[in-house]
């Protein structure tokens, strides 16, 4: 009995020692993992660290910040390596892409009309584009190809203080969501001179536009597809061929918006029973 009791005491002491050692090792691993997280969340600078936006996005993965430095020369999006079927670059997860200054004119990204900036975000937090000018240009060799400047394939994107510029001669779109799996929030941004439309809300998708401008020869400023939901507040629609188009089942609200010298302000496919319209100003 004494031997068995001694054996148990020794075994218990060894067990306590193993627990203490495991705790110590766990602490070390935790610290190491924390360092890795800090490393993963660092800011990537373009063009200092990478030449193109696609290269920076390929490297940064699903989290982190890409800072585009102020430049008189426009940046090219490049071509992502991991999604070869998507011409252009792909933002995965809650990635932030930000211009260095608060003036969008200081940082311009040029996207050929046969390319797009794709958002494929499975993270809970949205991807963020901020302080950028995004200019879509016609590819003279492939004039029949026209993709949106920014295409939200999946997940959520937030766009703040950005300027989207198109070319009147093409069927270009500034921002497009695809379907119910994609959504967008756009704040303090401008969509100008798109031969197609400034913002296209995909079928059953949800898009919010707040203090945005749609102006200067857009074929359609804001286009809402079947059962799309649009929440528009304090926006200005100026000198568009058609300011606002709503397909069957368009819902949401249009509040405190201004319509200035458009050829046509509204065109809807049904009776607007799901769209709440309040405090509009029409200025001829």
């Amino acid at each position: 009995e004494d031997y068995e009791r001694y054996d148990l005491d020794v075994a218990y002491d060894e067990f306590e020692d193993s627990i203490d050692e495991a705790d110590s090792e766990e602490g070390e691993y935790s610290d190491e993992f924390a360092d890795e997280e800090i490393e993963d969340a660092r800011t990537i600078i373009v063009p200092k660290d990478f030449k193109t936006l696609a290269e920076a996005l390929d490297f940064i993965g699903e989290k982190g910040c890409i800072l585009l430095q102020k430049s008189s020369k426009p940046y090219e999006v490049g071509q992502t390596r991991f999604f070869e079927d998507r011409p252009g670059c792909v933002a995965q997860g809650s990635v932030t892409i930000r211009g260095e200054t608060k003036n969008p004119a200081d940082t311009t990204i040029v996207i050929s009309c046969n390319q797009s900036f794709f958002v494929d975000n499975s993270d809970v937090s949205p991807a963020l584009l901020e302080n950028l000018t995004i200019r879509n240009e016609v590819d003279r060799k492939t004039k029949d190809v026209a993709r949106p400047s920014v295409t939200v394939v999946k997940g959520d994107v937030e766009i703040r203080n950005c300027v989207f510029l198109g070319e009147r001669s093409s069927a270009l779109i500034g921002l497009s969501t695809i379907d119910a799996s994609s959504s967008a929030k756009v704040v303090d941004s401008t969509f100008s001179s798109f031969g197609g439309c400034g913002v296209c809300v995909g079928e059953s998708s949800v898009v919010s536009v707040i203090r945005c401008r749609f102006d200067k020869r857009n074929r359609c400023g804001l286009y809402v597809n079947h059962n799309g939901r649009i929440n528009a507040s304090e926006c200005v629609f100026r000198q568009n061929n058609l300011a606002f188009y709503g397909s069957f089942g368009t819902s949401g609200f249009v509040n405190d918006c201004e319509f200035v010298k458009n050829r046509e302000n509204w065109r809807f496919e049904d009776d607007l029973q799901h769209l709440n319209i309040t405090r509009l100003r029409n200025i001829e």
Side-chain angles (χ1 to χ4, degrees):
E1 291 179 0
D2 290 342
Y3 179 79
E4 289 178 357
R5 186 177 299 109
Y6 171 78
D7 208 20
L8 288 172
D9 288 343
V10 170
Y12 182 76
D13 290 342
E14 290 177 350
F15 176 73
E16 280 193 321
D17 291 341
S18 67
I19 292 295
D20 292 341
E21 184 179 353
D23 288 342
S24 175
E25 290 179 355
E26 182 181 356
E28 292 176 4
Y29 292 145
S30 298
D31 291 342
E32 184 179 346
F33 182 71
D35 289 340
E36 289 180 358
E37 284 190 324
I38 292 172
E39 185 73 11
D40 288 343
R42 69 183 182 276
T43 296
I44 302 300
I45 300 175
V46 176
K48 178 181 177 183
D49 298 321
F50 292 96
K51 183 178 179 181
T52 68
L53 188 55
E55 290 172 336
L57 285 167
D58 285 345
F59 176 82
I60 208 167
E62 296 184 358
K63 288 187 182 294
C65 177
I66 298 173
L67 181 68
L68 279 74
Q69 293 182 313
K70 177 180 177 180
S71 174
S72 59
K73 183 179 179 181
Y75 291 100
E76 296 181 0
V77 295
Q79 175 59 52
T80 184
R81 292 179 299 167
F82 304 118
F83 295 89
E84 295 182 357
D85 59 328
R86 295 177 182 171
C89 62
V90 181
Q92 304 175 73
S94 51
V95 178
T96 294
I97 300 162
R98 177 179 290 131
E100 186 178 23
T101 74
K102 292 185 178 181
N103 182 5
D106 290 339
T107 310
T108 298
I109 300 172
V110 172
I111 302 179
S112 173
C113 70
N114 61 358
Q115 292 182 313
S116 187
F117 182 104
F118 294 94
V119 176
D120 192 342
N121 178 17
S122 57
D123 199 286
V124 175
S125 301
L128 174 63
L129 305 179
E130 189 173 30
N131 306 337
L132 303 169
T133 292
I134 300 174
R135 192 174 79 225
N136 205 321
E137 294 186 344
V138 172
D139 188 327
R140 307 303 172 186
K141 296 180 181 179
T142 56
K143 292 183 180 181
D144 56 330
V145 179
R147 291 184 170 88
S149 299
V150 176
T151 304
V152 188
V153 178
K154 183 176 66 177
D156 191 17
V157 64
E158 186 169 334
I159 298 171
R160 290 185 171 273
N161 191 33
C162 289
V163 175
F164 287 74
L165 299 175
E167 289 193 8
R168 187 180 180 185
S169 60
S170 68
L172 296 174
I173 297 172
L175 167 69
S176 177
T177 56
I178 300 300
D179 52 31
S181 65
S182 58
S183 59
K185 179 180 180 181
V186 191
V187 183
D188 296 324
S189 296
T190 298
F191 297 84
S192 181
S193 301
F194 282 96
C197 57
V199 173
C200 180
V201 181
E203 184 173 347
S204 301
S205 182
V206 180
V207 173
S208 298
V209 288
I210 303 167
R211 296 187 302 275
C212 291
R213 296 181 64 91
F214 301 85
D215 63 10
K216 294 182 181 178
R217 301 184 302 277
N218 291 318
R219 184 175 297 173
C220 180
L222 188 57
Y223 186 104
V224 185
N225 272 299
H226 290 72
N227 299 317
R229 181 177 179 85
I230 181 67
N231 300 322
S233 179
E234 300 179 71
C235 294
V236 177
F237 299 82
R238 184 172 67 92
Q239 293 181 342
N240 302 281
N241 288 330
L242 173 61
F244 189 110
Y245 173 85
S247 188
F248 291 102
T250 295
S251 64
F253 65 83
V254 181
N255 177 55
D256 201 19
C257 293
E258 189 172 279
F259 295 79
V260 185
K261 296 182 178 179
N262 301 290
R263 288 189 177 180
E264 187 177 357
N265 288 337
W266 303 90
R267 189 183 301 169
F268 295 100
E269 297 297 329
D270 60 11
D271 57 5
L272 302 181
Q273 61 178 336
H274 303 297
L275 187 66
N276 184 19
I277 302 175
T278 56
R279 296 204 306 269
L280 302 186
R281 296 178 300 280
N282 184 18
I283 302 174
E284 297 298 335

Short mmCIF file of all heavy atoms in Angstrom, two decimals, residues 105-139:
data_model
loop_
_atom_site.label_atom_id
_atom_site.label_comp_id
_atom_site.label_asym_id
_atom_site.label_seq_id
_atom_site.Cartn_x
_atom_site.Cartn_y
_atom_site.Cartn_z
N ALA A 105 -7.74 62.59 -56.34
CA ALA A 105 -6.98 62.92 -57.55
C ALA A 105 -5.50 62.60 -57.39
O ALA A 105 -4.77 62.49 -58.38
CB ALA A 105 -7.17 64.39 -57.90
N ASP A 106 -5.01 62.46 -56.16
CA ASP A 106 -3.61 62.16 -55.93
C ASP A 106 -3.25 60.71 -56.20
O ASP A 106 -2.07 60.36 -56.34
CB ASP A 106 -3.23 62.50 -54.48
CG ASP A 106 -3.21 64.00 -54.21
OD1 ASP A 106 -3.10 64.76 -55.18
OD2 ASP A 106 -3.32 64.39 -53.04
N THR A 107 -4.25 59.84 -56.27
CA THR A 107 -3.99 58.41 -56.46
C THR A 107 -5.00 57.85 -57.45
O THR A 107 -6.18 57.68 -57.13
CB THR A 107 -4.10 57.63 -55.14
OG1 THR A 107 -3.32 58.28 -54.13
CG2 THR A 107 -3.62 56.21 -55.31
N THR A 108 -4.55 57.57 -58.68
CA THR A 108 -5.43 57.08 -59.74
C THR A 108 -5.07 55.66 -60.13
O THR A 108 -3.90 55.34 -60.35
CB THR A 108 -5.34 57.99 -60.97
OG1 THR A 108 -5.77 59.31 -60.63
CG2 THR A 108 -6.23 57.46 -62.10
N ILE A 109 -6.10 54.81 -60.22
CA ILE A 109 -5.94 53.44 -60.71
C ILE A 109 -6.60 53.37 -62.08
O ILE A 109 -7.77 53.74 -62.23
CB ILE A 109 -6.59 52.42 -59.76
CG1 ILE A 109 -5.96 52.49 -58.37
CG2 ILE A 109 -6.47 51.01 -60.33
CD1 ILE A 109 -6.68 51.65 -57.34
N VAL A 110 -5.87 52.90 -63.08
CA VAL A 110 -6.41 52.75 -64.43
C VAL A 110 -6.80 51.30 -64.65
O VAL A 110 -5.97 50.39 -64.46
CB VAL A 110 -5.40 53.21 -65.49
CG1 VAL A 110 -5.91 52.88 -66.89
CG2 VAL A 110 -5.17 54.71 -65.37
N ILE A 111 -8.05 51.07 -65.05
CA ILE A 111 -8.55 49.73 -65.33
C ILE A 111 -9.02 49.69 -66.78
O ILE A 111 -9.90 50.45 -67.17
CB ILE A 111 -9.71 49.36 -64.39
CG1 ILE A 111 -9.25 49.45 -62.93
CG2 ILE A 111 -10.24 47.97 -64.70
CD1 ILE A 111 -10.34 49.13 -61.94
N SER A 112 -8.43 48.81 -67.56
CA SER A 112 -8.90 48.64 -68.93
C SER A 112 -10.29 48.03 -68.90
O SER A 112 -10.66 47.30 -67.98
CB SER A 112 -7.94 47.72 -69.69
OG SER A 112 -8.47 47.41 -70.96
N CYS A 113 -11.10 48.32 -69.92
CA CYS A 113 -12.49 47.86 -69.92
C CYS A 113 -12.60 46.35 -70.02
O CYS A 113 -13.67 45.79 -69.79
CB CYS A 113 -13.30 48.53 -71.02
SG CYS A 113 -12.84 48.01 -72.67
N ASN A 114 -11.53 45.64 -70.37
CA ASN A 114 -11.57 44.19 -70.36
C ASN A 114 -11.03 43.61 -69.05
O ASN A 114 -10.79 42.42 -68.93
CB ASN A 114 -10.81 43.59 -71.56
CG ASN A 114 -9.34 43.97 -71.55
OD1 ASN A 114 -8.88 44.70 -70.67
ND2 ASN A 114 -8.60 43.48 -72.52
N GLN A 115 -10.86 44.49 -68.05
CA GLN A 115 -10.46 44.08 -66.72
C GLN A 115 -11.50 44.53 -65.71
O GLN A 115 -12.44 45.27 -66.03
CB GLN A 115 -9.11 44.71 -66.34
CG GLN A 115 -7.91 44.21 -67.11
CD GLN A 115 -6.64 44.88 -66.61
OE1 GLN A 115 -6.58 46.09 -66.42
NE2 GLN A 115 -5.62 44.07 -66.38
N SER A 116 -11.33 44.09 -64.46
CA SER A 116 -12.17 44.57 -63.38
C SER A 116 -11.42 44.43 -62.06
O SER A 116 -10.47 43.65 -61.96
CB SER A 116 -13.49 43.79 -63.32
OG SER A 116 -14.38 44.36 -62.38
N PHE A 117 -11.84 45.21 -61.08
CA PHE A 117 -11.37 45.02 -59.71
C PHE A 117 -12.44 44.17 -59.03
O PHE A 117 -13.54 44.64 -58.75
CB PHE A 117 -11.22 46.38 -59.01
CG PHE A 117 -10.71 46.28 -57.61
CD1 PHE A 117 -9.41 46.60 -57.31
CD2 PHE A 117 -11.55 45.87 -56.57
CE1 PHE A 117 -8.94 46.50 -56.01
CE2 PHE A 117 -11.08 45.77 -55.28
CZ PHE A 117 -9.77 46.08 -55.00
N PHE A 118 -12.15 42.88 -58.80
CA PHE A 118 -13.12 41.95 -58.24
C PHE A 118 -13.04 41.93 -56.72
O PHE A 118 -11.93 41.94 -56.16
CB PHE A 118 -12.88 40.54 -58.77
CG PHE A 118 -13.12 40.38 -60.25
CD1 PHE A 118 -12.06 40.49 -61.14
CD2 PHE A 118 -14.38 40.12 -60.74
CE1 PHE A 118 -12.27 40.34 -62.51
CE2 PHE A 118 -14.60 39.97 -62.10
CZ PHE A 118 -13.54 40.08 -62.99
N VAL A 119 -14.19 41.91 -56.07
CA VAL A 119 -14.26 41.70 -54.63
C VAL A 119 -14.90 40.34 -54.40
O VAL A 119 -16.04 40.11 -54.78
CB VAL A 119 -15.07 42.80 -53.93
CG1 VAL A 119 -15.21 42.50 -52.44
CG2 VAL A 119 -14.42 44.16 -54.15
N ASP A 120 -14.15 39.42 -53.80
CA ASP A 120 -14.64 38.08 -53.48
C ASP A 120 -14.36 37.87 -52.00
O ASP A 120 -13.34 37.32 -51.60
CB ASP A 120 -13.93 37.04 -54.34
CG ASP A 120 -14.58 35.68 -54.27
OD1 ASP A 120 -15.36 35.44 -53.32
OD2 ASP A 120 -14.33 34.84 -55.15
N ASN A 121 -15.28 38.32 -51.17
CA ASN A 121 -15.03 38.48 -49.75
C ASN A 121 -15.92 37.55 -48.93
O ASN A 121 -17.13 37.72 -48.88
CB ASN A 121 -15.28 39.95 -49.36
CG ASN A 121 -15.08 40.20 -47.88
OD1 ASN A 121 -14.47 39.40 -47.19
ND2 ASN A 121 -15.60 41.31 -47.40
N SER A 122 -15.31 36.57 -48.27
CA SER A 122 -16.06 35.67 -47.40
C SER A 122 -15.95 36.07 -45.94
O SER A 122 -16.51 35.42 -45.06
CB SER A 122 -15.55 34.23 -47.58
OG SER A 122 -14.17 34.16 -47.31
N ASP A 123 -15.25 37.17 -45.65
CA ASP A 123 -15.08 37.65 -44.28
C ASP A 123 -16.33 38.40 -43.83
O ASP A 123 -17.09 38.94 -44.64
CB ASP A 123 -13.86 38.58 -44.20
CG ASP A 123 -13.36 38.73 -42.77
OD1 ASP A 123 -14.01 39.44 -41.99
OD2 ASP A 123 -12.32 38.14 -42.46
N VAL A 124 -16.56 38.44 -42.51
CA VAL A 124 -17.71 39.16 -41.96
C VAL A 124 -17.56 40.66 -42.20
O VAL A 124 -18.53 41.36 -42.53
CB VAL A 124 -17.87 38.87 -40.46
CG1 VAL A 124 -18.99 39.71 -39.87
CG2 VAL A 124 -18.14 37.39 -40.23
N SER A 125 -16.34 41.18 -42.04
CA SER A 125 -16.09 42.60 -42.25
C SER A 125 -15.96 42.90 -43.74
O SER A 125 -15.48 42.07 -44.51
CB SER A 125 -14.81 43.02 -41.53
OG SER A 125 -14.90 42.76 -40.15
N PRO A 126 -16.37 44.11 -44.16
CA PRO A 126 -16.29 44.44 -45.59
C PRO A 126 -14.87 44.75 -46.04
O PRO A 126 -14.03 45.16 -45.24
CB PRO A 126 -17.18 45.68 -45.70
CG PRO A 126 -17.10 46.32 -44.35
CD PRO A 126 -16.99 45.18 -43.37
N ALA A 127 -14.61 44.57 -47.32
CA ALA A 127 -13.42 45.14 -47.93
C ALA A 127 -13.64 46.65 -48.03
O ALA A 127 -14.77 47.12 -48.07
CB ALA A 127 -13.17 44.53 -49.30
N LEU A 128 -12.55 47.43 -48.06
CA LEU A 128 -12.68 48.89 -48.06
C LEU A 128 -11.81 49.49 -49.15
O LEU A 128 -10.61 49.20 -49.25
CB LEU A 128 -12.26 49.45 -46.70
CG LEU A 128 -12.19 50.98 -46.58
CD1 LEU A 128 -13.57 51.61 -46.79
CD2 LEU A 128 -11.62 51.40 -45.23
N LEU A 129 -12.42 50.36 -49.98
CA LEU A 129 -11.69 51.18 -50.94
C LEU A 129 -11.86 52.63 -50.51
O LEU A 129 -13.00 53.07 -50.29
CB LEU A 129 -12.23 50.98 -52.36
CG LEU A 129 -12.28 49.55 -52.90
CD1 LEU A 129 -12.86 49.55 -54.31
CD2 LEU A 129 -10.91 48.92 -52.90
N GLU A 130 -10.76 53.39 -50.44
CA GLU A 130 -10.86 54.75 -49.89
C GLU A 130 -9.84 55.68 -50.54
O GLU A 130 -8.69 55.28 -50.81
CB GLU A 130 -10.62 54.67 -48.37
CG GLU A 130 -10.88 55.96 -47.63
CD GLU A 130 -10.79 55.79 -46.13
OE1 GLU A 130 -10.01 54.92 -45.67
OE2 GLU A 130 -11.50 56.51 -45.40
N ASN A 131 -10.27 56.91 -50.81
CA ASN A 131 -9.39 57.98 -51.30
C ASN A 131 -8.75 57.66 -52.65
O ASN A 131 -7.56 57.91 -52.87
CB ASN A 131 -8.27 58.29 -50.28
CG ASN A 131 -8.79 58.60 -48.90
OD1 ASN A 131 -9.94 59.01 -48.72
ND2 ASN A 131 -7.96 58.41 -47.89
N LEU A 132 -9.53 57.12 -53.58
CA LEU A 132 -8.99 56.69 -54.86
C LEU A 132 -9.78 57.28 -56.03
O LEU A 132 -10.98 57.51 -55.92
CB LEU A 132 -9.05 55.16 -54.98
CG LEU A 132 -8.32 54.35 -53.91
CD1 LEU A 132 -8.71 52.88 -54.03
CD2 LEU A 132 -6.82 54.52 -54.03
N THR A 133 -9.08 57.50 -57.15
CA THR A 133 -9.74 57.72 -58.43
C THR A 133 -9.59 56.43 -59.23
O THR A 133 -8.46 55.95 -59.43
CB THR A 133 -9.12 58.90 -59.20
OG1 THR A 133 -9.41 60.11 -58.50
CG2 THR A 133 -9.72 58.99 -60.60
N ILE A 134 -10.71 55.88 -59.69
CA ILE A 134 -10.70 54.64 -60.46
C ILE A 134 -11.19 54.97 -61.86
O ILE A 134 -12.37 55.30 -62.06
CB ILE A 134 -11.57 53.57 -59.80
CG1 ILE A 134 -11.04 53.27 -58.39
CG2 ILE A 134 -11.60 52.29 -60.65
CD1 ILE A 134 -11.90 52.33 -57.59
N ARG A 135 -10.29 54.92 -62.83
CA ARG A 135 -10.60 55.35 -64.19
C ARG A 135 -10.63 54.15 -65.12
O ARG A 135 -9.64 53.42 -65.25
CB ARG A 135 -9.56 56.37 -64.67
CG ARG A 135 -9.98 57.06 -65.97
CD ARG A 135 -9.02 58.16 -66.34
NE ARG A 135 -7.80 57.66 -66.95
CZ ARG A 135 -6.58 58.06 -66.63
NH1 ARG A 135 -6.41 58.96 -65.69
NH2 ARG A 135 -5.54 57.57 -67.25
N ASN A 136 -11.75 53.96 -65.77
CA ASN A 136 -11.92 52.85 -66.70
C ASN A 136 -11.70 53.35 -68.13
O ASN A 136 -12.30 54.34 -68.53
CB ASN A 136 -13.32 52.25 -66.56
CG ASN A 136 -13.37 50.81 -67.00
OD1 ASN A 136 -12.73 50.46 -67.98
ND2 ASN A 136 -14.12 49.99 -66.29
N GLU A 137 -10.84 52.68 -68.86
CA GLU A 137 -10.50 53.11 -70.21
C GLU A 137 -10.83 52.04 -71.23
O GLU A 137 -10.70 50.84 -70.96
CB GLU A 137 -9.01 53.47 -70.29
CG GLU A 137 -8.64 54.69 -69.46
CD GLU A 137 -7.19 55.09 -69.67
OE1 GLU A 137 -6.43 54.26 -70.20
OE2 GLU A 137 -6.84 56.22 -69.31
N VAL A 138 -11.21 52.46 -72.40
CA VAL A 138 -11.52 51.55 -73.49
C VAL A 138 -10.23 50.95 -74.04
O VAL A 138 -9.26 51.65 -74.28
CB VAL A 138 -12.29 52.28 -74.61
CG1 VAL A 138 -12.44 51.37 -75.83
CG2 VAL A 138 -13.64 52.74 -74.12
N ASP A 139 -10.23 49.63 -74.19
CA ASP A 139 -9.13 48.94 -74.86
C ASP A 139 -9.41 49.01 -76.36
O ASP A 139 -10.38 48.42 -76.84
CB ASP A 139 -9.06 47.49 -74.40
CG ASP A 139 -7.81 46.78 -74.92
OD1 ASP A 139 -7.38 47.12 -76.04
OD2 ASP A 139 -7.29 45.91 -74.22
#
